Amino acid sequence: MASVVEYKGLRAGYHCGYCDSAAGKASCGMWAHSMTVQDYQDLIDRGWRRSGRYVYKPVMNKTCCPQYTIRCQALQFQPSKSHKKVLKKMLKFLAKGEISKGSCEDEPMEPSMEDAVAGDMALINRLDLQCDLKQLGDNLKDSLQREVKKKGKSTKKEESKECIQSQDRNEEQGSGEPSHAVEVHAVPKPGKGADLSKPPCRKAKEIRKERKRLKLMQQSQAGEPDGFQAPREPKTKPNQPKSLEELIFESLPEDASHKLEVRLVPVSFEDPEFKSSLSQSFSLYVKYQMAIHQDPPEECGKTEFTGFLCTSPLEPENPPNGPDCGYGSFHQQYWLDGKIIAVGVIDILPYCVSSVYLYYDPDYSFLSLGVYSALREIAFTRQLHEKASQLSYYYMGFYIHSCPKMKYKGHYRPSDLLCPETYVWVPIEQCLPSLENSKYCRFNQDPEAADEGGSTDPDRLQVLYKKSILPYGVFKRQQREPGEEAAVLQYARLVGQACSERMLLFRS
């Protein structure tokens, strides 16, 4: 089935939710009555994005906050330190019901999705207090004894008396115990009042190596500790860091406090699982919109929810060489103890998993569900790649360098930004210096490079007119409406030659 679209043209001078400009936003859009997954893949590779059935493209050199399409190279992705903290926080919560205090350099998945909404503070404080009182006494002595073997963080290298902040690293070894900061003083250098009966200071690198050796020795002698079980070290590369999958899917104890299940449900009112969970999913959406985005109740009704997140123009496809779940639009539901606490709306396309939206229960903000779901979606992309080899990217929507709340997307490395003029992908590290100087940038440094997929023969564009399909070269001879040709040529330039020949442009 061919894609059928109705081009709506340029919309300029409306409110921007990123910089709060009253009339700074500009974009072109079209209504998609239906769309193939390949057409949408090609469109997002030209800077388009969908919201329900409405597909839009920012006018990059005119809009107040240029929105650059960003993709993460999922197969090469390595979680950062802050990402690992979020994953460990989730594992601790699932295993023992522990809730960590403070932030973990959280990165929201939406401009207003901040962890400022702390959820049930009484529960958080009560559980934290119980964990501290129960385990502080046992861990403090062990932490002090192991301190000589821990990595120290010096505040200033010049200071002879350094304060080393140590944390119990048991969670890295698989114990799942909470960490406690302990303040110790480093041994002074010889000749400056050093206590020669104590071991001399060593470099952090040496300490890390020794800790790794001790950990491997302990595991080989006594087996893995109870609780979280760390995956066995690879035989060929014992120093290789844990993969994203190992961090996400660490085994839980049999008596784990909570159970988390992630279900993939197609966006279809004919699907029984989608229909049976729709009411709970809608209630979660309303709760999220009102708490996180401060939307009034009348702006997050059933109509808005259905049109925005439960309606998609993408036609499901299930080719033999595609992923088992097929291509199309889906809800990834996060079920905690039999209740939905988050829903990630995604599109599975020939070359990527494209993140559309995330909404979650604000009571569980302490779990950093925006970051956690993004990491799960990257892992899911890698899983799909095993069956569909071309599917290897995770699209995170738009990167907006001028909006501080949206710059977090650049932390998922390696990632690329789409050049708004030539539509080639450029590593984000090469783009950032230019974006520091100007909101709008052409990332392709070759001044001779042009849009290779651009419109070269508009007459071959396909038009759907009075239930007939005809090339634009034939259609335009029948029409003399003012502005008709300009609108069609603008559409052809924005969608590119390939899409203009495949998609049907509806004209009345």
Side-chain angles (χ1 to χ4, degrees), residues 72-339:
C72 172
Q73 299 177 29
L75 305 187
Q76 289 77 37
F77 173 78
Q78 288 292 335
S80 67
K81 185 178 178 181
S82 63
H83 295 153
K84 292 177 182 178
K85 285 182 179 179
V86 170
L87 295 176
K88 289 177 182 178
K89 180 166 57 174
M90 175 63 81
L91 287 170
K92 285 183 180 181
F93 174 73
L94 295 177
K96 299 186 178 181
E98 295 176 8
I99 301 174
S100 302
K101 285 183 179 178
S103 69
C104 286
E105 302 174 26
D106 190 38
E107 300 158 351
M109 283 308 289
E110 286 295 321
S112 301
M113 284 174 55
E114 302 169 341
D115 273 351
V117 180
D120 189 344
M121 291 304 299
L123 173 64
I124 296 170
N125 292 333
R126 184 169 71 252
L127 286 177
D128 268 335
L129 182 61
Q130 289 174 351
C131 292
D132 290 346
L133 292 178
K134 179 178 179 296
Q135 296 163 351
L136 179 60
D138 296 335
N139 289 334
L140 184 57
K141 184 177 179 181
D142 292 339
S143 298
L144 288 169
Q145 289 175 346
R146 287 195 303 269
E147 187 55 39
V148 211
K149 301 175 185 176
K150 298 289 182 182
K151 174 186 174 183
K153 288 187 179 179
S154 306
T155 54
K156 291 183 181 178
K157 292 181 180 179
E158 303 85 15
E159 295 179 1
S160 60
K161 189 177 183 181
E162 298 167 316
C163 178
I164 298 179
Q165 193 81 2
S166 167
Q167 288 188 341
D168 186 340
R169 304 290 183 178
N170 278 345
E171 68 265 28
E172 294 181 1
Q173 300 178 16
S175 69
E177 296 296 322
S179 58
H180 300 280
V182 183
E183 203 174 76
V184 227
H185 295 293
V187 182
K189 295 179 181 179
K192 296 186 180 181
D195 185 348
L196 299 179
S197 65
K198 296 181 179 179
C201 284
R202 293 174 299 157
K203 291 183 179 179
K205 187 175 180 181
E206 296 175 0
I207 296 174
R208 286 199 301 272
K209 286 183 178 179
E210 181 172 335
R211 284 174 51 211
K212 188 71 176 179
R213 285 195 298 270
L214 288 173
K215 176 183 174 182
L216 292 173
M217 288 173 59
Q218 290 170 358
Q219 288 179 355
S220 62
Q221 292 172 3
E224 299 291 349
D226 294 333
F228 295 128
Q229 294 186 358
R232 298 290 180 183
E233 296 289 333
K235 294 180 180 179
T236 54
K237 296 182 179 180
N239 294 323
Q240 186 178 7
K242 289 181 181 179
S243 68
L244 174 63
E245 288 76 12
E246 287 173 325
L247 292 167
I248 291 176
F249 300 112
E250 282 198 31
S251 57
L252 296 170
E254 292 184 2
D255 60 344
S257 298
H258 301 285
K259 179 184 177 182
L260 178 68
E261 181 185 0
V262 181
R263 301 178 189 173
L264 185 70
V265 181
V267 175
S268 169
F269 288 97
E270 297 177 0
D271 182 84
E273 197 169 358
F274 181 80
K275 283 170 52 178
S276 64
S277 60
L278 189 62
S279 176
Q280 188 178 166
S281 185
F282 170 61
S283 299
L284 178 64
Y285 166 80
V286 173
K287 186 177 182 180
Y288 167 79
Q289 293 294 129
M290 293 178 64
I292 303 299
H293 291 294
Q294 286 80 49
D295 285 356
E298 60 270 17
E299 291 185 11
C300 44
K302 198 69 170 282
T303 303
E304 288 77 11
F305 171 69
T306 303
F308 178 32
L309 300 173
C310 301
T311 306
S312 170
L314 300 186
E315 297 293 334
E317 295 181 24
N318 209 332
N321 60 343
D324 293 335
C325 58
Y327 299 116
S329 298
F330 298 83
H331 282 190
Q332 262 197 336
Q333 301 173 339
Y334 294 77
W335 290 76
L336 181 70
D337 303 330
K339 181 181 77 169

Side-chain angles (χ1 to χ4, degrees), residues 419 422 424 426 430-431 434 441-449:
C419 176
T422 62
V424 296
V426 181
Q430 298 179 25
C431 305
S434 301
C441 298
R442 170 193 167 107
F443 299 136
N444 193 328
Q445 297 300 310
D446 181 2
E448 303 298 321

